[in-house]
Amino acid sequence: EDAPAAPAVTYAREDVAASQAESEVAEIKHAVLGLKQALEDIRSNTDASQVNIVKLNLKEARDMLARRLYEVSAEDAQNTSVAAAVREAGILLDEVNAQFFTD
């Protein structure tokens, strides 16, 4: 005998939007942590032979965060959690750019 069919799962638009916003915030936070770690590495580096490597790591982490912020959709940016994460990440990005990447 056949098993009863599982009920169809439906997701409300709000649920999908909330899930997407949570994902955006998590990805931004991950990129922020990467940049903070690279920043700590460059500040604590005492090995002259490692200067270029830690600066490259900082640049890559900065670029990753900048890309992540650029990819936030306009719809997700309306979410207050996403907007707060973007704002905080932007401040960190500006500080890193001002301190290490003024050409």
Side-chain angles (χ1 to χ4, degrees):
E1 167 175 320
D2 290 337
V9 177
T10 57
Y11 297 99
R13 179 170 164 69
E14 296 80 21
D15 293 337
V16 172
S19 177
Q20 179 66 27
E22 288 174 17
S23 177
E24 289 282 4
V25 170
E27 289 180 27
I28 291 168
K29 286 183 177 183
H30 180 73
V32 164
L33 287 175
L35 183 54
K36 285 183 176 181
Q37 182 60 56
L39 191 55
E40 176 60 31
D41 291 348
I42 203 167
R43 287 181 174 158
S44 65
N45 180 53
T46 57
D47 184 349
S49 69
Q50 295 294 309
V51 169
N52 289 336
I53 292 171
V54 292
K55 186 142 186 182
L56 177 62
N57 290 344
L58 182 67
K59 181 182 182 308
E60 289 176 351
R62 176 203 63 171
D63 293 349
M64 178 187 291
L65 178 56
R67 218 175 10 260
R68 197 61 220 104
L69 295 180
Y70 178 77
E71 292 171 352
V72 172
S73 72
E75 183 178 341
D76 288 337
Q78 300 298 315
N79 178 286
T80 55
S81 296
V82 174
V86 167
R87 201 169 30 258
E88 291 173 24
I91 291 168
L92 176 62
L93 208 52
D94 289 345
E95 290 174 3
V96 168
N97 283 332
Q99 189 171 1
F100 295 97
F101 298 101
T102 55
D103 294 319

